[in-house]
Amino acid sequence: MDTCRTPVNASKCSGNTMECFMVLSTQAQKISIGILCGLFGTMCVFENSLVLYLIFSSPGIRKKPSYLFIGSLALADILASIIFVCSFVNFHVFNEAGFSKEVFLLQLGGVNTSFSASLSSLLLTALDRYISISRPSEYKLLMTRKRAWTALAVLWVTCATIACLPLLGWNCCVLDSSCSELFPFVDDNYLSGWLCFTVVLLGCIIYAYAHVLWRARQHVAYMEKHQAQVGKQNTRMRMDVMLAKTLVMVLAVLVLCWSPVLVLMTYSIFARLSDRLRKVFAFCSTLCLLNSMVNPIIYALRSKELFSSLRRVFSHFRRQLKAAEESPEAESTHKSSVIET
């Protein structure tokens, strides 16, 4: 009997069974996956690196907790893209299976940490927007930079701990339990727990943003009725409403890109997956790179502060290019005048 068709259990923990998870059977499928990963991954790293540069190169922007959380999201997307592309392409395209169980679980832990940190950063941003809109007069006292950095530190440590549990011993080889059909060495119970953790995060984010949008609509209605009282407070309310809508767009893209993957993961726990569905899962996994690539574009189009900072960077870059082009001409003119003299 073909070992790749037998039930996935603890007996399939040896290195040669890694080939059973290499579901791309044709060269066209491998080339397609390689192109998608290369394109999305490269654009994702470039765009999110630019977002980090815009945030931390501007003193006015990096002091705001909202943009610290967005910076955490961009960093998580960069790490997820690099680790995911390297491990995914190496495994499914080049069919490298010579690494150990520990190395594979370490790579998987890196991807899970980055994705969980990305999702948790969105949750912190949702809470930040909720406080800003619901309690604007107390916002600066409640949301300080110190508290923001502390929350980010707790976030990353928690996500890394949860993601590294299989590496620390919660895997089907050590526990002699049933393994996942989608990930080598991963215990089905751990996958169920990770999915529950992810769904809870998504639920909290959706609830927070629903409340934010409800309060934002109240603020908009209030401002329309009191046009004569336009001032600094109303201007800040408009900025909060704009940022809240921007982050809802980010959340919508996140749900659309990750829903197919999460649905297939959930289905694999309760039923057997066909080879066709496993191939679909491999292609759907690349949508996470698309999500990470789209987020910075949304920031640039919706955030006036980031867009203004981006324009200043491009203006400075154009001035440098212009100065570099004019410098040789000026030097040549100077030398000609000296010779004539």
Side-chain angles (χ1 to χ4, degrees):
M1 181 182 293
D2 187 359
T3 57
C4 294
R5 294 285 185 179
T6 57
V8 183
N9 50 40
S11 64
K12 297 184 63 179
C13 292
S14 58
N16 56 4
T17 59
M18 295 284 286
E19 297 177 357
C20 300
F21 294 88
M22 299 174 182
V23 295
L24 303 182
S25 55
T26 66
Q27 196 67 21
Q29 293 173 354
K30 295 179 180 180
I31 293 175
S32 300
I33 284 288
I35 292 175
L36 289 175
C37 289
L39 178 62
F40 292 162
T42 302
M43 293 298 297
C44 174
V45 171
F46 171 75
E47 292 173 358
N48 284 285
S49 297
L50 181 60
V51 169
L52 283 178
Y53 174 78
L54 294 177
I55 291 175
F56 290 99
S57 65
S58 175
I61 294 179
R62 69 169 179 260
K63 291 181 180 179
K64 298 181 178 181
S66 302
Y67 289 101
L68 291 179
F69 300 145
I70 292 177
S72 174
L73 176 62
L75 177 62
D77 287 338
I78 291 174
L79 294 177
S81 299
I82 294 174
I83 301 173
F84 178 85
V85 169
C86 292
S87 59
F88 195 79
V89 171
N90 190 44
F91 186 80
H92 284 289
V93 177
F94 298 107
N95 298 137
E96 280 290 335
F99 44 82
S100 63
K101 175 190 71 175
E102 289 74 17
V103 172
F104 177 83
L105 292 177
L106 181 62
Q107 293 175 348
L108 184 63
V111 175
N112 287 344
T113 298
S114 303
F115 171 62
S116 300
S118 177
L119 200 59
S120 300
S121 297
L122 278 177
L123 177 59
L124 288 181
T125 311
L127 295 176
D128 174 76
R129 290 300 89 202
Y130 172 79
I131 296 174
S132 178
I133 289 181
S134 62
R135 306 174 70 176
S137 59
E138 304 175 17
Y139 173 76
K140 290 185 177 181
L141 296 176
L142 295 175
M143 189 58 67
T144 61
R145 294 185 72 237
K146 182 178 180 180
R147 290 181 178 178
W149 281 111
T150 302
L152 288 175
V154 173
L155 176 157
W156 280 90
V157 170
T158 302
C159 292
T161 302
I162 294 175
C164 290
L165 288 177
L167 183 62
L168 298 175
W170 192 353
N171 57 75
C172 56
C173 298
V174 174
L175 299 178
D176 193 24
S177 57
S178 60
C179 297
S180 170
E181 292 188 56
L182 296 174
F183 306 102
F185 315 119
V186 175
D187 179 68
D188 267 340
N189 291 328
Y190 171 79
L191 184 60
S192 301
W194 186 84
L195 284 172
C196 291
F197 172 70
T198 303
V199 170
V200 169
L201 283 179
L202 283 172
C204 292
I205 294 172
I206 293 173
Y207 174 80
Y209 277 129
H211 197 85
V212 165
L213 287 180
W214 176 65
R215 294 300 297 265
R217 289 191 62 184
Q218 287 185 329
H219 282 311
V220 170
Y222 176 82
M223 288 186 290
E224 289 177 352
K225 292 181 180 180
H226 301 81
Q227 291 294 331
Q229 298 180 5
V230 176
K232 184 176 180 181
Q233 184 177 4
N234 287 344
T235 301
R236 180 174 178 178
M237 288 181 182
R238 291 192 183 94
M239 292 176 61
D240 290 338
V241 171
M242 175 66 73
L243 187 54
K245 292 180 179 179
T246 299
L247 295 171
V248 168
M249 293 175 62
V250 173
L251 176 62
V253 172
L254 177 75
V255 172
L256 289 176
C257 289
W258 279 93
S259 290
V261 173
L262 296 177
V263 169
L264 287 174
M265 284 184 185
T266 304
Y267 181 76
S268 70
I269 296 175
F270 300 100
R272 293 273 300 167
L273 290 179
S274 64
D275 289 343
R276 185 177 181 180
L277 282 179
R278 295 170 71 189
K279 292 179 182 179
V280 170
F281 177 80
F283 278 92
C284 288
S285 298
T286 61
L287 290 176
C288 67
L289 296 177
L290 178 62
N291 168 67
S292 300
M293 185 184 72
V294 170
N295 284 345
I297 298 176
I298 298 176
Y299 303 149
L301 293 179
R302 299 284 298 179
S303 173
K304 292 183 178 179
E305 293 176 299
L306 282 181
F307 187 72
S308 299
S309 180
L310 181 62
R311 290 182 59 183
R312 287 195 299 269
V313 170
F314 279 128
S315 298
H316 179 68
F317 182 68
R318 283 198 301 266
R319 287 196 299 268
Q320 286 185 334
L321 287 180
K322 187 176 180 180
E325 291 175 357
E326 293 177 352
S327 180
E329 297 178 0
E331 184 179 354
S332 177
T333 303
H334 176 70
K335 289 182 178 180
S336 299
S337 63
V338 170
I339 293 174
E340 292 176 358
T341 303

